[in-house]
Amino acid sequence: MPLTMRWFGLGARNQWGATAADRVDFVTDTIKIALITNAVAPNQDTHDYWSDLSANEIAAGSGYTAGGLTLASKTLTYDAGTNEVRLDCADPSWGFTASKTFRYAVVYKDTGSAATSPLLGFGDFGADESTSNTYTITVDATGLLKAVAA
């Protein structure tokens, strides 16, 4: 089953805000997906930069790189039939060689500094996920993140 992703409210707002550094070109910017533990729940209303959550990222090593995985095959489309803007990508996958436990996946623009890397969205697995094998997040067929232009 695909993971349902939700927007960080400040991340969505900042796309039209005054701070150009917070704006995202989904297709050309470095967009990452990182895995974090259950030590903190992402807050849609108050979290706005990767530094708000990065301390709770799973440990690097054994198939996981600090900062997460760079999304591949990114597309940005508009569907006039549903009035949706869709951000899509290939299914992210990690080849873990030791046990990793996580609860959330977080999508953000990587600027090279956690304090200036704006959060875009997150998914909650509903419970801790633990694996020491290949782990793939299935992106919904309609996109990773969506916004309705109604």
Side-chain angles (χ1 to χ4, degrees):
M1 172 180 282
L3 178 64
T4 300
M5 300 293 284
R6 290 173 263 185
W7 282 97
F8 282 100
L10 298 174
R13 179 206 64 190
N14 289 344
Q15 298 319 297
W16 297 275
T19 306
D22 287 346
R23 294 187 199 129
V24 175
D25 181 331
F26 185 76
V27 175
T28 62
D29 287 343
T30 300
I31 308 297
K32 291 192 171 185
I33 188 165
L35 301 173
I36 63 172
T37 69
N38 65 8
V40 64
N43 187 311
Q44 283 181 278
D45 299 324
T46 61
H47 291 150
D48 52 356
Y49 295 101
W50 175 230
S51 57
D52 293 327
L53 299 169
S54 59
N56 299 296
E57 183 178 17
I58 64 173
S62 301
Y64 187 83
T65 301
L69 188 70
T70 300
L71 295 180
S73 303
K74 298 176 295 179
T75 61
L76 176 65
T77 58
Y78 173 70
D79 180 0
T82 63
N83 294 335
E84 286 183 337
V85 175
R86 296 186 311 231
L87 289 71
D88 202 4
C89 64
D91 294 347
S93 185
W94 293 267
F96 297 134
T97 58
S99 185
K100 296 288 184 177
T101 302
F102 47 91
R103 170 71 186 257
Y104 305 98
V106 176
V107 177
Y108 68 99
K109 171 185 171 180
D110 185 13
T111 65
S113 168
T116 62
S117 294
L119 297 172
L120 299 177
F122 71 97
D124 180 349
F125 294 102
D128 281 353
E129 295 277 316
S130 292
T131 186
S132 58
N133 298 308
T134 298
Y135 189 86
T136 301
I137 295 175
T138 303
V139 174
D140 189 282
T142 62
L144 179 70
L145 286 164
K146 298 174 278 263
V148 177

